[in-house]
Amino acid sequence: MKFVDEAYIDIAAGDGGSGCVSFRHEKYKEFGGPNGGDGGRGGHVYALADVNLNTLVDFRFSRRHHARNGEHGMGSDMFGAKGDDIILKMPVGTILTDAETGEVLYELLVPGEEVLIAKGGDGGFGNLRFKSSTNRAPRSKTPGWPGEHKSLKLELKVLADVGLLGMPNAGKSTFISAISNARPRIADYPFTTLHPNLGVVRVGPEQSFVVADLPGLIEGASEGAGLGHLFLRHLQRTRLLLHIVDMAPFDDSVDPVAQAKAIVAELKKYDEALYNKPRWLVLNKLDMVDADKRAARVKDFVKRFKFKGPVFEISALTREGCEQLVKTIYQHVKSVQKSEQEPEEIDPRFAELPAEPPAAG
């Protein structure tokens, strides 16, 4: 399935049906009263967060979505039927923005969450509504109200706890396949990953977190080099970034420090808040470095890169060091989740009262 993380759609709720002007016609009743019913409500348009979807490709080719109009009122006190609502299923993490003003209208962050994005118009009143003691034969009615029309921009930002960052062929796909249930495409050429991949990492019973693997970045991505840096939007909701570095490049002329600095520079150009997220350094492919040279190479890299945060030495291929890294990540994610939870409000009736001062004796 093609991965699409941006789409534009036009939605229209249904118009309300018009009211009816009608009078009762029965045998032997010369002056029957009014019996014109109201029009029906127009259909609403809802957006539903569906966990089974991970792309907006359906909305790339189907841009117009219109709910049914309400039916008109009829005689014999019959009200018009309401128009059928429509529900647009979208991936969890979709942001709905007004395409004209750029205002963020809704964010679908909870699986199964349903929001009303366009309200159907109310039905008009029939002449039954206007009868009174002084107006026994009203000939008034009102038209139905129009439904809401909107042009929306849909933007998908995947929901993940941890995001992988690095150059093409740094071993990100191998790493996510080693620690999670994800099975991304792996090959020995650059830009194997063309769209984000999500993997659930099981640490223990009821202990897990979600990892997002993104296409590789290269220097100049902000100017459109490689696949650009638009996929970085999918890291904005993560709690931790893992900067994966290839410590054994095929080309001896390639400097891993220069590549790592280029990645950090592109990150800062894209979003200052993303640049300031917690970021750990993961030195990969150390199984391809001689054991007696490994410590010196790692020490030289950290020194020249001037990195002050946590550093992990792994081999995604042999899974060396991955288990300890996964446990450390889980502890970090768990602590961040706990700090993000709002404290429970205490009923003032059960709050602890201040201790009374001891009686003077």
Side-chain angles (χ1 to χ4, degrees):
M1 181 182 292
K2 185 177 180 181
F3 182 84
V4 175
D5 58 1
E6 189 174 284
Y8 291 85
I9 62 172
D10 296 319
I11 60 172
D15 299 333
S18 299
C20 174
V21 174
S22 175
F23 294 91
R24 183 173 291 110
H25 298 284
E26 296 179 11
K27 194 175 183 179
Y28 306 122
K29 286 191 178 181
E30 185 176 359
F31 301 103
N35 67 350
D38 298 344
R41 169 183 65 77
H44 297 323
V45 181
Y46 293 92
L48 174 66
D50 190 343
V51 294
N52 298 313
L53 300 178
N54 58 7
T55 176
L56 295 172
V57 66
D58 293 337
F59 299 100
R60 178 65 64 88
F61 305 105
S62 178
R63 296 193 56 179
R64 179 72 179 176
H65 303 273
H66 196 304
R68 292 181 62 88
N69 296 331
E71 294 185 1
H72 301 310
M74 293 171 283
S76 301
D77 300 336
M78 290 192 294
F79 287 19
K82 70 175 183 179
D84 294 334
D85 301 333
I86 60 174
I87 299 177
L88 305 179
K89 295 182 179 181
M90 302 178 185
V92 179
T94 302
I95 301 174
L96 292 84
T97 307
D98 190 303
E100 298 177 357
T101 64
E103 177 188 1
V104 176
L105 303 178
Y106 312 98
E107 291 190 51
L108 303 178
L109 302 179
V110 181
E113 179 182 10
E114 188 175 279
V115 296
L116 175 64
I117 57 177
K119 184 178 182 299
D122 294 328
F125 290 157
N127 66 338
L128 179 63
R129 295 274 190 174
F130 296 95
K131 71 176 182 179
S132 66
S133 59
T134 58
N135 186 12
R136 298 187 177 185
R139 297 184 179 273
S140 301
K141 68 173 184 178
T142 59
W145 292 89
E148 293 181 335
H149 293 240
K150 294 180 181 178
S151 295
L152 300 178
K153 174 186 176 183
L154 308 182
E155 184 180 11
L156 174 60
K157 294 182 180 179
V158 298
L159 298 180
D161 300 302
V162 180
L164 305 184
L165 195 66
M167 297 288 288
N169 271 19
K172 302 185 298 300
S173 297
T174 305
F175 176 70
I176 194 175
S177 64
I179 66 173
S180 74
N181 58 353
R183 293 295 176 264
R185 187 179 181 183
I186 300 173
D188 58 353
Y189 54 84
F191 300 111
T192 309
T193 301
L194 298 177
H195 57 78
N197 293 304
L198 293 182
V200 178
V201 182
R202 304 288 181 184
V203 184
E206 299 183 1
Q207 296 180 347
S208 64
F209 59 89
V210 180
V211 178
D213 172 28
L214 266 64
L217 277 180
I218 63 174
E219 188 173 3
S222 56
E223 284 78 36
L227 297 179
H229 62 189
L230 292 180
F231 282 113
L232 287 177
R233 76 179 68 172
H234 299 290
L235 297 180
Q236 292 177 329
R237 287 184 173 140
T238 58
R239 298 178 171 93
L240 175 66
L241 300 179
L242 296 183
H243 187 170
I244 297 183
V245 179
D246 181 0
M247 293 297 291
F250 291 111
D251 190 352
D252 294 335
S253 63
V254 174
D255 184 7
V257 175
Q259 290 187 334
K261 288 182 177 180
I263 292 291
V264 175
E266 292 297 330
L267 197 64
K268 192 171 185 179
K269 286 180 183 178
Y270 179 76
D271 186 4
E272 190 76 24
L274 187 59
Y275 169 78
N276 292 323
K277 277 184 178 290
R279 188 168 68 252
W280 294 357
L281 192 61
V282 180
L283 306 181
N284 190 24
K285 300 187 182 180
L286 287 175
D287 59 306
M288 301 178 64
V289 180
D290 293 338
D292 55 341
K293 298 180 180 179
R294 182 180 300 183
R297 182 172 295 190
V298 170
K299 184 178 179 181
D300 176 69
F301 179 91
V302 175
K303 181 180 179 180
R304 291 196 294 133
F305 190 47
K306 299 178 181 179
F307 188 75
K308 304 298 182 183
V311 180
F312 297 88
E313 304 173 28
I314 71 163
S315 169
L317 184 64
T318 64
R319 304 192 180 187
E320 177 186 350
C322 290
E323 183 177 355
Q324 183 58 42
L325 175 58
V326 164
K327 292 180 179 179
T328 308
I329 292 173
Y330 175 73
Q331 293 300 326
H332 175 81
V333 171
K334 184 179 179 182
S335 63
V336 174
Q337 288 176 336
K338 189 175 181 180
S339 64
E340 290 175 348
Q341 294 177 353
E342 298 181 0
E344 296 182 2
E345 295 184 4
I346 301 177
D347 193 316
R349 296 175 299 174
F350 302 103
E352 295 184 3
L353 300 176
E356 297 183 359

